[in-house]
Amino acid sequence: MTTPAPRFAGVVPPAVTPLTDEGEVDVHSLERLVEWLLDAGVDGIFALGSSGETVFLTDRQRDLALETIVKTAGGAVPVIAGCIEPTTRRVVERAEASTRLGADGLVVTAPFYAIVGPHEIERHFRAVAAAVELPLLAYDIPVCVHSKLSVDLLTRLAADGVLAGVKDSSGDDVAFRQLALAVAEHAPERDFSLLTGHEVVVDAMMLAGGSGSVPGLGNVDPAGYVRLHRACMAGDWVAARREQDRLTRLFRIVDAADPATSAGATRGVGAFKTALSLLGVIAGNAVSLPLRPLDAAETGRVRTQLELAGLL
């Protein structure tokens, strides 16, 4: 039996949400960003993920951002929407809103803040899937939700048709490879997407059986990730390694922010937005409180990396 090609595959950047200095969604910049991604040849867009600052936004802002992305994409590529809430009923509400706004798929984490175990997590995904019509992808991001989705759980949910895929940001590449094998063994007939969010090892994860990538850095250099994916699909691992090495060096922009006054979200999203501003894609590098935008010296360090990568 031939494994079907998954619907959600290839390069699916998690779009940042450009903001004005007042903290509102910058619709015109977001439209330009989506056009930038489409022009580069991406295969999908992940709206309202971690790079999209979804947990910092109000529901009104989330709706506006998703509506803008869906409208600008115009059906050219599928849009998957993050429904990232701490509990099941809140996720379902967010999923219903995303469905109304035109999303093609939904991305959901394990519950968080509330103390849960594997049984509660499984009930969570099954309940969300039963309540929605769109394909459901699990977002494995233990650094944020403090629960790692096990290979056994994900395989079981895949085999039962609960999940259409996994967006893996766990950094556990051994588990990713085990999951690829387990799904092939136990759910070979399923249209199941294995998407890595580990942007510096996309070539390795594709070789391990991945369907594609959801790289935050793909906001900044979507064309580079498209070239990388195409090289992987062609089996040209020398070209893939060369492109991955260039992108890995570019990823050093996340080290531009002073660690004495910033942490993960400021350094990652802040660097991506600063780079996009320097590239003229978005108007500014504003981020959500309590994050802070990169200052002039930090922006200079981002500029240097863009120049070294051949983007400026």
Side-chain angles (χ1 to χ4, degrees):
M1 182 179 294
T2 302
T3 302
R7 179 182 182 190
F8 306 112
V11 181
V12 188
V16 302
T17 305
L19 301 174
T20 66
D21 289 339
E22 294 73 34
E24 293 299 329
V25 176
D26 181 345
V27 171
H28 295 305
S29 286
L30 184 53
E31 290 170 343
R32 287 196 299 272
L33 173 62
V34 173
E35 291 166 355
W36 163 258
L37 298 176
L38 294 176
D39 287 346
V42 303
D43 303 287
I45 298 174
F46 177 23
L48 301 176
S50 302
S51 294
E53 297 172 77
T54 188
V55 296
F56 299 96
L57 304 178
T58 66
D59 282 341
R60 175 182 59 81
Q61 291 173 315
R62 291 171 175 177
D63 287 352
L64 178 56
L66 178 56
E67 182 180 29
T68 301
I69 290 172
V70 169
K71 181 179 179 180
T72 308
V77 298
V79 175
I80 56 177
C83 302
I84 300 172
E85 294 282 357
T87 58
T88 306
R89 288 188 177 182
R90 293 178 67 90
V91 169
V92 171
E93 285 186 356
R94 194 66 231 153
E96 290 170 345
S98 299
T99 301
R100 289 194 303 271
L101 292 166
D104 299 291
L106 308 170
V107 184
V108 174
T109 70
F112 53 94
Y113 186 80
I115 298 173
V116 296
H119 301 293
E120 289 88 356
I121 292 171
E122 181 164 354
R123 282 195 292 272
H124 172 73
F125 281 110
R126 290 185 182 276
V128 173
V132 302
E133 296 182 0
L134 293 178
L136 183 67
L137 290 84
Y139 191 173
D140 192 10
I141 185 164
V143 70
C144 292
V145 303
H146 309 296
S147 296
K148 174 74 180 78
L149 302 179
S150 72
V151 171
D152 287 345
L153 170 62
L154 293 172
T155 304
R156 186 162 59 249
L157 295 178
D160 290 349
V162 174
L163 294 179
V166 174
K167 191 270 187 179
D168 183 87
S169 293
S170 69
D172 187 342
D173 298 336
V174 173
F176 186 92
R177 183 147 194 167
Q178 290 287 5
L179 179 61
L181 289 172
V183 170
E185 292 164 355
H186 299 289
E189 76 286 357
R190 294 295 183 187
D191 170 358
F192 195 79
S193 301
L194 278 168
L195 303 171
T196 180
H198 205 176
E199 53 249 285
V200 299
V201 290
V202 172
D203 56 346
M205 296 303 96
M206 291 296 295
L207 184 60
S211 309
S213 61
V214 187
L217 188 64
N219 284 278
V220 178
D221 192 0
Y225 277 99
V226 169
R227 288 193 297 271
L228 169 58
H229 182 79
R230 289 176 179 169
C232 291
M233 295 302 292
D236 188 347
W237 299 106
V238 173
R241 168 70 181 272
R242 183 169 58 247
E243 192 64 45
Q244 181 70 85
D245 283 349
R246 190 186 65 82
L247 290 164
T248 300
R249 287 189 288 270
L250 176 60
F251 191 65
R252 293 170 183 165
I253 63 174
V254 304
D255 297 323
D258 182 354
T261 57
S262 63
T266 293
R267 299 177 72 196
V269 177
F272 300 155
K273 285 187 167 182
T274 299
L276 286 165
S277 179
L278 288 169
L279 291 168
V281 179
I282 66 176
N285 68 346
V287 290
S288 303
L289 285 170
L291 311 182
R292 67 164 179 83
L294 271 60
D295 64 23
E298 294 164 334
T299 297
R301 291 194 282 272
V302 172
R303 179 186 292 277
T304 296
Q305 295 300 330
L306 291 175
E307 291 170 346
L308 289 172
L311 299 179
L312 277 179

